[in-house]
Amino acid sequence: LLVCAACATPGSSLSAKRDAHPVTLELEGGPLWQSRNDVQIPGDTGTRFSMSDLIGEGPYPAGRITADWDINNRHAVRAVIAPIEFDGTGTLTQQTSFAGETFAAGVPTKGTYKFSNYRLGYRWTYLHQEHWRLRLGGTLFVRDAKIELEQGSTRASDSDVGVVPLLSLAAEYYPAERWRIIAELDGLASSQGRAFDFTLRGYYDLSDQWSVGLGYRTIEGGADNDTVYNFAWLHSIVAAVAFRF
């Protein structure tokens, strides 16, 4: 019990100035690439094809808005708005059955991929020391997804809106007075699919309230059932600006 109490008690930490401003708003943006994006709709009778081969790996623009509120030294909540949508035109390598329509090979075809998501999460701080803060919690992940093909007058799309719970882990390291490194993971896996969002970023504090950051984010996951088969792996270089108040 003494050990656990010490773990949750902040000392004269380098994060003390940030603790004086419990609410943080952050704007993040940067280029996004898709290294994998395999699609088959319906999942049992459609033709499997690669969206990344059809429209290209990118880069595509992406961004998100994050709001964090440290209620006290141990409890925090987070809200995230992360729109992701991109499209392009290419040719299919084979005749493709998709969402009730048939698309010919070798004909210019527009593909659209959307995986916007919105999150509300809670985090509990179980370690808060001079150079470290470790948190764990959970996130409600609301996905707004759509995959669409258009070829001449033929168009078909499949949309899905759903809510899934994710585990949330975060580690913050303060190596020096104005510097911090953050690693975060939201994720969960089941027999029919998975979702993982991992980021590693470094920040520099311009002042007690303003920070700038640079890092890498990857999103991987998908679903495999009779309705839809889609697994994607997305990567982005992210630049961020944060304001604390």
Side-chain angles (χ1 to χ4, degrees):
L1 290 176
L2 292 176
V3 172
C4 291
C7 288
T9 301
S12 57
S13 70
L14 294 173
S15 63
K17 292 182 179 179
R18 300 181 190 92
D19 295 339
H21 304 286
V23 178
T24 302
L25 295 178
E26 180 172 307
L27 178 63
E28 171 189 307
L32 177 147
W33 292 265
Q34 52 174 349
S35 61
R36 177 193 181 192
N37 198 340
D38 296 329
V39 179
Q40 183 177 341
I41 299 176
D44 54 353
T45 60
T47 304
R48 189 167 301 183
F49 67 96
S50 169
M51 182 67 78
S52 56
D53 288 346
L54 175 64
I55 68 175
E57 295 184 350
Y60 303 100
R64 67 175 55 190
I65 299 172
T66 302
D68 287 293
W69 176 28
D70 289 326
I71 301 170
N72 54 40
N73 289 328
R74 300 190 68 173
H75 306 285
V77 294
R78 160 172 286 193
V80 178
I81 300 174
I84 298 175
E85 184 170 2
F86 49 86
D87 58 52
T89 300
T91 57
L92 297 163
T93 59
Q94 61 179 326
Q95 181 174 289
T96 299
S97 174
F98 170 80
E101 298 288 349
T102 301
F103 297 84
V107 178
T109 304
K110 179 181 178 182
T112 301
Y113 185 80
K114 177 182 180 181
F115 192 72
S116 297
N117 60 89
Y118 312 93
R119 308 182 201 183
L120 182 62
Y122 163 80
R123 289 176 173 179
W124 173 65
T125 299
Y126 67 92
L127 174 66
H128 190 179
Q129 297 179 342
E130 181 176 359
H131 292 279
W132 286 96
R133 174 182 283 176
L134 302 179
R135 310 189 196 210
L136 60 86
T139 298
L140 284 180
F141 181 93
V142 182
R143 67 179 181 275
D144 179 11
K146 182 180 76 171
I147 303 173
E148 182 175 278
L149 293 181
E150 183 175 0
Q151 186 182 87
S153 60
T154 303
R155 183 172 66 178
S157 67
D158 182 83
S159 300
D160 177 67
V161 176
V163 181
V164 295
L166 303 178
L167 294 176
S168 181
L169 302 172
E172 301 177 32
Y173 174 59
Y174 307 97
E177 178 64 23
R178 290 182 175 266
W179 295 92
R180 59 194 161 117
I181 300 171
I182 297 179
E184 296 178 316
L185 173 67
D186 285 347
L188 197 65
S190 69
S191 60
Q192 289 194 326
R194 60 182 181 267
F196 293 99
D197 184 332
F198 172 79
T199 181
L200 179 65
R201 306 187 304 279
Y203 286 88
Y204 178 75
D205 292 341
L206 301 173
S207 68
D208 288 354
Q209 292 181 278
W210 288 96
S211 300
V212 292
L214 185 67
Y216 166 75
R217 179 180 299 281
T218 184
I219 301 173
E220 195 278 336
D224 181 5
N225 53 60
D226 293 343
T227 303
V228 57
Y229 177 94
N230 175 226
F231 281 92
W233 194 357
L234 310 178
H235 313 264
S236 60
I237 302 298
V238 296
V241 58
F243 177 68
R244 296 181 294 274
F245 60 93

